[in-house]
């Protein structure tokens, strides 16, 4: 488990980096390190032939996986789905998930309570100029 490098932080924002994605390895969670209150976000990587260490599901959180590099398979319950750079997968809390890597995968996982987002983009953004 890694932590991001915090570049700058105030009460109202935090700037961090996980470094170069070509050499990123392991798993880095951002919520606590960056004081994020609305979601847990992690960067993960798997080397060729590796898989996540266990299948899991969640009690109330939906997950969105965004695959940045590589290719492999995500198993959702009993269904295998090929994933590659650019793939995005949303998974409901009760669905069992496991990722297997063919070629070095780097991905982001966003975890937030299913159904919790009530306003977004133009219903939440306030244009200033
Ligand atoms: Zn999860």
């Amino acid at each position: 488990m890694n932590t991001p490098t915090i570049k700058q932080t105030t009460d109202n924002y935090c700037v961090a980096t996980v470094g170069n994605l070509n050499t990123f390895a392991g798993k880095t969670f951002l919520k606590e390190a960056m004081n994020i209150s609305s979601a847990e976000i992690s960067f993960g990587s798997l080397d060729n032939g590796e898989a996540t260490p266990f299948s899991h599901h969640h009690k109330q959180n939906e997950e969105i996986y965004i695959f940045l590099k590589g290719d492999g398979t995500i198993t959702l319950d009993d269904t295998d789905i090929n994933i590659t750079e650019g793939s995005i997968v949303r998974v409901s809390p009760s669905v069992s998930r496991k990722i297997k890597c063919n070629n070095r995968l780097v991905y982001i996982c966003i975890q937030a309570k299913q159904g919790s987002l009530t306003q977004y983009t133009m219903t939440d953004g306030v244009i200033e100029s």
Side-chain angles (χ1 to χ4, degrees), residues 7-67:
K7 297 288 194 181
Q8 193 173 355
T9 188
T10 74
D11 287 346
N12 292 318
Y13 61 85
C14 181
V15 181
T17 181
V18 296
N20 187 315
L21 296 182
N22 291 320
T23 56
F24 175 84
K27 188 93 169 172
T28 299
F29 289 94
L30 304 183
K31 181 186 182 305
E32 287 186 26
M34 297 186 70
N35 198 27
I36 297 170
S37 66
S38 56
E40 174 63 284
I41 302 170
S42 62
F43 279 74
S45 75
L46 293 168
D47 284 331
N48 300 359
E50 281 189 336
T52 48
F54 47 80
S55 299
H56 76 285
H57 68 276
H58 282 264
K59 296 174 185 172
Q60 61 180 11
N61 291 346
E62 173 180 78
E63 285 184 321
I64 302 96
Y65 292 88
I66 302 170
F67 294 92

Side-chain angles (χ1 to χ4, degrees), residues 60-100:
Q60 61 180 11
N61 291 346
E62 173 180 78
E63 285 184 321
I64 302 96
Y65 292 88
I66 302 170
F67 294 92
L68 304 173
K69 293 182 176 293
D71 63 82
T73 304
I74 187 167
T75 302
L76 302 174
D77 287 333
D78 296 325
T79 303
D80 289 337
I81 297 167
N82 291 327
I83 47 172
T84 188
E85 183 173 313
S87 295
I88 304 163
V89 182
R90 181 195 61 79
V91 186
S92 293
S94 65
V95 175
S96 177
R97 67 215 63 178
K98 186 175 181 75
I99 300 169
K100 294 177 188 164

